[in-house]
Structures are given as C-alpha cells and as structure tokens.
Amino acid sequence: MREFRFDNATGRGYLNGKVYYLRGGNIELGQYMCDDPKCGSQPWDARWVRKLVAEIPKRLHWNAFRYNLSVMPEMWLDIADEEGILVQYERPFGDIASSGTSAR
C-alpha cells in the first residue's frame, strides 16, 4: 500500500515517506472516448492506453494525473499503477446527483 501526504509546514508532498514532486495534468478523455464510435476499440487496447497514460507522459517527465468528469476503465488505473503514475481519481459529479447522495 502506498501513502501520499502533504506536509503543510514544508509545503512538500511525500510518497511513502520520501519527498515527491507532482508533475502532470488532467485527463478528461474518458467520457468522450469510451462512448465515441469513431474511437473504435482504442480505449480497450492495453498497448494504446499504456502509451497514452505512461509512455507519452514519462517523456514529458510527468508522474501524476487527475482523472475527472467520467468513470475511467479499471484497466487504465491498473496500467497507471504498473507504470508508477500517481492518480487522483475523482468520482464524476453527475454520479453523486444520480445516486441520491447529497454533495456538500
């Protein structure tokens, strides 16, 4: 199990007790790609996903992503984990509204 935390006193993030600098961005492709017939099977092709969430970002020296707006396929999360990409995974806001759960 991994532990990620921020130390307010130093303003640094720590992964498993070691200083860790987050470098990355957002991925908001899921809702568009998984339902778009023009994408074909790419969102389910592990080789293509690995290139999208690991190979290209690593060339940019990125090590983290924030997934939002849609539910990401479990395979995408597994590949990110295998490749050492940290993921901030947010539940889509629409799911909260449709689940009967109140958001505060």
Side-chain angles (χ1 to χ4, degrees), residues 3 22 46 48 68 79:
E3 176 196 42
L22 296 175
W48 184 84
N68 63 338
I79 289 172

Side-chain angles (χ1 to χ4, degrees), residues 5-104:
R5 66 178 179 83
F6 276 105
D7 181 341
N8 291 334
T10 64
R12 293 185 175 160
Y14 290 84
L15 179 63
N16 297 331
K18 296 180 182 177
V19 174
Y20 194 80
Y21 297 99
L22 296 175
R23 297 175 307 275
N26 292 332
I27 291 185
E28 298 177 1
L29 300 173
Q31 79 179 59
Y32 308 107
M33 298 183 60
C34 296
D35 296 331
D36 184 349
K38 293 180 183 177
C39 290
S41 63
Q42 283 183 327
W44 313 114
D45 177 356
R47 212 168 69 194
W48 184 84
V49 173
R50 191 171 304 276
K51 182 176 181 180
L52 177 71
V53 302
E55 292 173 15
I56 293 171
K58 284 182 178 181
R59 280 189 250 145
L60 299 170
H61 304 286
W62 288 12
N63 61 7
F65 280 112
R66 175 178 165 251
Y67 286 135
N68 63 338
L69 295 181
S70 63
V71 176
M72 300 310 294
E74 193 71 27
M75 177 185 67
W76 288 43
L77 298 172
D78 290 342
I79 289 172
D81 187 47
E82 291 166 11
E83 294 288 339
I85 302 292
L86 210 62
V87 173
Q88 177 183 339
Y89 186 60
E90 297 178 8
R91 181 178 174 164
F93 187 71
D95 281 1
I96 294 171
S98 65
S99 71
T101 304
S102 64
R104 296 182 185 184

